Amino acid sequence: SIRSKRKGRTFALESLSGKSQDAPRLSSGMAELDRVTGGGFVPGSVLLMAGDPGIGKSTLLLQMAGGLANQDVDVLYISGEESVNQGALRAQRLGVRSGRVQMASTSNLETIRELAGQLKPQVLVIDSIQTVFLPEISSAPGSISQVRECAAQIMGLAKGSGISVFLIGHVTKDGQIAGPK
């Protein structure tokens, strides 16, 4: 690691001389999802899943959470749109019954970070990025400034803690991912 002259920051560096090993990947337990993610997901990565409303994004990631729990992986599923009771009912219908999957209903990014710090999950699912907000930003959840800053802070959380993060994103009427790209 290298120490910066500015504010005592430390940077991790790795040589790309060909001696590096492939990063360890965490299998979702779902062959097609693993194929799409290049063989599983890398700890500290952030993936965005976007699609039309009702297409099954939440259902797919809740099923993934159940598959991960069956592999002894701890998952924190944050829903900004459904209550914990609604999410638990969906999980029961899908056969997801594990203490390794924790669910919370919040949109406040400070609360999400606090929960992630306390529970230390290996995987964090946020449903959806457009509902997440930081109280110090005066604009509404889903606004460009909120989505941009929340996404940046979530990336920092993922990289700093090694948590693999899945973000669910809404799609607009014309098929574009809502918010800043």
Side-chain angles (χ1 to χ4, degrees):
S1 70
I2 294 178
R3 194 152 182 81
S4 170
K5 292 180 183 178
R6 292 179 50 198
K7 297 182 183 180
R9 296 181 186 159
T10 303
F11 301 95
L13 295 175
E14 184 170 335
S15 171
L16 299 179
S17 63
K19 297 178 183 177
S20 300
Q21 297 178 355
D22 284 337
R25 292 184 177 266
L26 184 59
S27 172
S28 68
M30 302 172 84
E32 283 300 303
L33 186 55
D34 286 346
R35 185 178 66 81
V36 169
T37 59
F41 34 92
V42 178
S45 63
V46 178
L47 292 113
L48 172 65
M49 178 178 289
D52 292 329
I55 201 165
K57 302 176 297 292
S58 301
T59 299
L60 178 65
L61 291 185
L62 194 51
Q63 288 173 318
M64 178 198 71
L68 289 167
N70 291 338
Q71 299 173 63
D72 297 327
V73 174
D74 294 320
V75 180
L76 175 58
Y77 191 104
I78 302 291
S79 178
E81 299 178 354
E82 293 182 331
S83 69
V84 171
N85 287 339
Q86 288 173 303
L89 288 172
R90 181 194 303 250
Q92 287 176 351
R93 285 192 309 270
L94 296 171
V96 178
R97 293 180 179 91
S98 174
R100 291 198 173 270
V101 178
Q102 300 289 320
M103 185 171 281
S105 178
T106 185
S107 295
N108 187 326
L109 184 57
E110 292 174 356
T111 303
I112 294 169
R113 282 194 303 236
E114 193 175 302
L115 286 168
Q118 290 173 2
L119 299 174
K120 303 204 182 314
Q122 291 163 275
V123 175
L124 172 63
V125 176
I126 299 177
D127 185 0
S128 75
I129 186 62
Q130 283 88 2
T131 63
V132 178
F133 71 94
L134 281 163
E136 62 266 19
I137 298 176
S138 61
S139 59
S143 67
I144 289 175
S145 57
Q146 283 283 3
V147 172
R148 181 177 287 137
E149 185 60 28
C150 289
Q153 289 198 24
I154 290 167
M155 283 193 298
L157 170 68
K159 290 177 182 182
S161 65
I163 298 172
S164 296
V165 178
F166 281 84
L167 300 175
I168 293 178
H170 295 300
V171 173
T172 62
K173 291 177 185 175
D174 62 349
Q176 300 294 316
I177 297 173
K181 307 301 179 261

